[in-house]
Amino acid sequence: MEATRGTNPSGARLNAAIAVIGIDIGKNSFHVVGQDHRGAIVLRQKWSRGQVEARLANLPPCLIGMEACVGAHHLSCKLQMLGHDARLMPAKYVRPYSKGQKNDFRDAEAIAEAVQRPTMKFVATKTADQLDLQALHRVRDRLVGQRTGAINQIRAFLLERGIAVRQGLHSLRFELPGILATRTDVLSPRMLRIIEALADDWRRLDERIEGLSNEIETLARQDQACQRLMTVPGIGPIISSAMVAAIGTGDVFSKGRDFGAWLGLVPKQISTGDRTILGSISRHGNRYLRALFVQAAWVVLVKVKCWERYGLDSWIKAAKKRLHHNVLAIALANKLARIAWAVLNKGRAFECVTTEETASRPA
């Protein structure tokens, strides 16, 4: 190893001097910047992927910072096994510490600066099981998008021939065989072949999505954290497993409010002086998980008939009087997310306590 400032000390002295390391992760090469206890740069090198673990294994335990990106969780687990304090940070929180024009070494230096900040918000390192579960959700989400595209294309081709089908996936699935069999007056043989091919794609995607959904549901039924989350209204195997895959036990958040803000379910605030300006939701964080919680809120609003059973009756009725139904759904999604975080972090199933029981308890 080589020092970048002053004299070139021996390898042992240099290893002992390194207190903080910032690693800019690349596909094949990693740019590494090391600082001593005073903040001076004592290491500035480019390593290949295979050299990272071997070289860091020879260093005394130190603080290592990385941006939370592809491959970062795996490397963080490896470095923690070597005794280092490896921490992951969102890239947008590292960017303000970059000085001058952008290059990989300056990015690594910014990471080393950011990881030392006491107020920095870190990302919890995911385990191998979490990464596997997250991969299942990402593949399923991609297939659902492809299925939606195939269905929309079928509808568009039919509408171009003057055939309109009622809204909804089930309506199209029920009416499509009859349309292909009887509407040959407006559908040419070529168009029939195209639509039949799209229908075959739809069926194959349905089978793959069902298989992934069953696998996710099986994993959720076997996980205690997912079982506790499924006691929350509107939350089933898909949402519970996605939440466990995303945040684990939720220790990275100090309270449910922080989790709701991370999901982007809170108003965007642009305030100054005595003026408080609240806009639309911020849409930060995990977009997939946020969409699932909004869907859960709509399920509770539309399909749940007895809100009192979950202790939501008075809150929903009061909110209905002052909020648009779309705003109410977002507010309820935020409330469900905060409840879900408490259930996950505290290790207890959801319990509804009625007002009478609460009033009878001693203060």
Side-chain angles (χ1 to χ4, degrees):
M1 295 183 183
E2 59 178 345
T4 58
R5 295 180 184 177
T7 60
N8 188 8
S10 65
R13 288 175 57 193
L14 178 59
N15 290 351
I18 297 175
V20 181
I21 293 178
I23 302 178
D24 183 58
I25 299 177
K27 184 177 180 180
N28 297 314
S29 59
F30 291 47
H31 292 75
V32 182
V33 169
Q35 297 180 349
D36 60 13
H37 291 281
R38 298 176 301 167
I41 296 177
V42 295
L43 174 68
R44 185 185 176 93
Q45 290 185 350
K46 178 181 176 180
W47 296 345
S48 66
R49 179 175 290 273
Q51 292 176 318
V52 175
E53 291 184 42
R55 295 202 176 191
L56 292 177
N58 298 323
L59 290 178
C62 57
L63 177 62
I64 299 178
M66 294 174 287
E67 292 179 343
C69 58
V70 176
H73 292 277
H74 173 75
L75 181 59
S76 177
C77 289
K78 293 290 186 180
L79 297 183
Q80 289 175 3
M81 292 173 61
L82 294 175
H84 297 290
D85 183 10
R87 301 183 184 181
L88 304 180
M89 299 165 289
K92 65 178 181 180
Y93 293 157
V94 176
R95 195 171 299 114
Y97 296 91
S98 180
K99 299 181 289 292
Q101 299 184 16
K102 183 186 184 307
N103 59 55
D104 293 331
F105 280 117
R106 283 183 174 169
D107 288 345
E109 183 181 348
I111 292 170
E113 293 284 350
V115 75
Q116 302 178 64
R117 300 303 96 203
T119 58
M120 176 57 64
K121 295 181 180 179
F122 297 100
V123 177
T125 301
K126 290 182 174 63
T127 63
D129 291 337
Q130 283 180 278
L131 293 174
D132 291 346
L133 189 55
Q134 188 179 63
L136 287 175
H137 277 276
R138 288 179 174 175
V139 173
R140 182 183 178 275
D141 186 45
R142 177 180 60 83
L143 294 176
V144 170
Q146 291 178 354
R147 181 178 65 180
T148 302
I151 293 172
N152 290 341
Q153 203 165 39
I154 292 174
R155 286 183 176 277
F157 291 156
L158 292 176
L159 197 58
E160 285 180 348
R161 297 302 192 275
I163 303 174
V165 184
R166 286 182 302 170
Q167 188 176 3
L169 180 147
H170 299 290
S171 298
L172 180 61
R173 178 179 291 157
F174 176 76
E175 297 182 24
L176 186 59
I179 293 173
L180 296 178
T182 61
R183 297 307 303 271
T184 54
D185 55 329
V186 294
L187 294 175
S188 65
R190 181 178 291 108
M191 183 55 66
L192 286 173
R193 290 196 303 270
I194 292 173
I195 295 178
E196 287 173 355
L198 287 172
D200 290 338
D201 293 342
W202 181 4
R203 283 189 290 270
R204 286 194 294 269
L205 289 169
D206 274 341
E207 292 174 358
R208 292 194 62 189
I209 292 170
E210 184 178 1
L212 288 171
S213 299
N214 292 337
E215 186 175 357
I216 291 173
E217 184 173 354
T218 301
L219 293 173
R221 301 292 181 190
Q222 297 172 352
D223 188 85
Q224 294 183 355
C226 291
Q227 291 179 3
R228 290 194 299 270
L229 284 172
M230 285 188 282
T231 61
V232 180
I235 294 183
I238 298 295
I239 301 180
S240 61
S241 57
M243 185 171 174
V244 170
I247 65 172
T249 58
D251 293 335
V252 70
F253 304 103
S254 59
K255 51 185 178 293
R257 242 177 123 177
D258 293 341
F259 175 59
W262 175 76
L263 281 180
L265 290 171
V266 297
K268 188 183 299 182
Q269 186 174 6
I270 308 173
S271 302
T272 179
D274 296 331
R275 297 181 60 197
T276 300
I277 304 172
L278 300 178
S280 59
I281 59 173
S282 63
R283 300 177 184 271
H284 289 167
N286 193 319
R287 180 176 62 180
Y288 175 69
L289 192 56
R290 179 176 64 251
L292 291 178
F293 270 105
V294 174
Q295 293 173 9
W298 278 114
V299 169
V300 173
L301 289 174
V302 175
K303 294 188 176 182
V304 175
K305 304 302 180 183
C306 183
W307 296 324
E308 187 63 34
R309 174 185 174 188
Y310 303 107
L312 298 172
D313 186 67
S314 58
W315 185 87
I316 292 179
K317 287 182 177 178
K320 272 189 169 183
K321 297 177 181 178
R322 57 187 175 86
L323 298 178
H324 187 272
H325 59 273
N326 289 336
V327 180
L328 174 60
I330 297 298
L332 181 57
N334 185 22
K335 190 175 187 68
L336 293 178
R338 293 166 66 171
I339 294 173
W341 176 87
V343 166
L344 186 63
N345 188 255
K346 305 302 180 185
R348 296 176 55 187
F350 174 73
E351 298 177 3
C352 173
V353 180
T354 61
T355 306
E356 291 78 13
E357 291 176 351
T358 306
S360 62
R361 291 182 178 180

